[in-house]
């Protein structure tokens, strides 16, 4: 009789343990699915960043239309003409053309929620700022390292400079401008 009771207790405990392990596994799976969904960047945003890297400033609007697959909308702004390729509600590619007909700048506009990165750390911003105030050189790789080692998102380029942006999970951001001729950071701004 005692043996039968011990066996029943053992089976009850075994069932409880297996049930808890099973539930714990489901929670882990759900958490990993949530993390994957948060980190998934819509294709049009990834494409926008590909386009800004690949498209040369010497490109013609017609060539960009073909590459992007949609026609740009045109808007006059003082002496400039802006062409906008609206890839989605979340991302646009914008070319500013001077009256000479050449692309002056190419920029990406995306919702910052899609740029958030948990590894971005602004705690060393004062070091970057101090280097710039003292007139010393700081490069993209050095800025990247001070911001947690994560790549910045190229958000604008023209013939003389390239601008990168880093965004942390709280929505703070830092934009850094780098000279195309020597790679030096020339300006930083942000909110963090």
């Amino acid at each position: 009789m005692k043996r039968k009771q011990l066996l029943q207790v053992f089976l009850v405990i075994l069932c409880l343990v297996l049930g808890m392990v099973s539930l714990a596994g489901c929670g882990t799976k759900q958490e990993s699915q949530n993390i994957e969904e948060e980190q998934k960047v819509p294709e049009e945003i990834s494409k926008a960043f590909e386009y800004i890297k690949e498209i040369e400033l010497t490109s013609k609007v017609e060539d960009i239309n073909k590459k992007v697959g949609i026609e740009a909308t045109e808007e006059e702004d003082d002496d400039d003409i802006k062409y906008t390729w609206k890839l989605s509600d979340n991302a646009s590619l914008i070319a500013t053309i001077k009256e000479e007909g050449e692309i002056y700048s190419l920029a990406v506009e995306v919702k910052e929620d899609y740029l958030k990165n948990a590894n971005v750390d602004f705690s060393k911003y004062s070091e970057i700022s101090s280097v710039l105030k003292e007139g010393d050189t700081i490069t993209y790789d050095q800025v990247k390292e001070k911001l947690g080692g994560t790549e910045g998102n190229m958000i604008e380029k023209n013939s003389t400079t390239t601008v990168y942006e880093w965004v942390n999970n709280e929505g703070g951001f830092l934009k850094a401008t780098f000279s195309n001729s020597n790679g030096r950071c020339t300006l930083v701004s942000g909110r963090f």
Side-chain angles (χ1 to χ4, degrees), residues 92-129:
S92 296
L93 183 68
I94 301 165
T96 303
I97 298 183
K98 295 291 185 186
E99 57 186 40
E100 300 85 38
E102 295 286 319
I103 294 177
Y104 170 73
S105 72
L106 191 61
V108 170
E109 284 185 1
V110 297
K111 289 191 177 180
E112 287 186 353
D113 287 347
Y114 293 107
L115 302 179
K116 289 181 179 179
N117 187 322
N119 297 322
V120 173
D121 177 12
F122 296 130
S123 64
K124 295 185 179 178
Y125 166 76
S126 60
E127 293 177 27
I128 298 168
S129 180

Side-chain angles (χ1 to χ4, degrees), residues 52-69:
I52 194 168
K53 289 177 185 173
E54 295 172 358
I55 295 172
E56 298 293 327
L57 295 175
T58 55
S59 299
K60 301 290 181 212
V61 172
E62 297 78 26
D63 297 330
I64 299 172
N65 285 340
K66 287 178 189 171
K67 181 166 190 70
V68 173

Side-chain angles (χ1 to χ4, degrees), residues 75-104:
E75 175 186 331
E76 288 194 35
D77 182 28
D78 295 325
D79 293 333
D80 302 334
I81 300 173
K82 288 192 177 189
Y83 289 91
T84 302
W85 292 266
K86 187 170 178 157
L87 306 174
S88 73
D89 288 340
N90 300 320
S92 296
L93 183 68
I94 301 165
T96 303
I97 298 183
K98 295 291 185 186
E99 57 186 40
E100 300 85 38
E102 295 286 319
I103 294 177
Y104 170 73

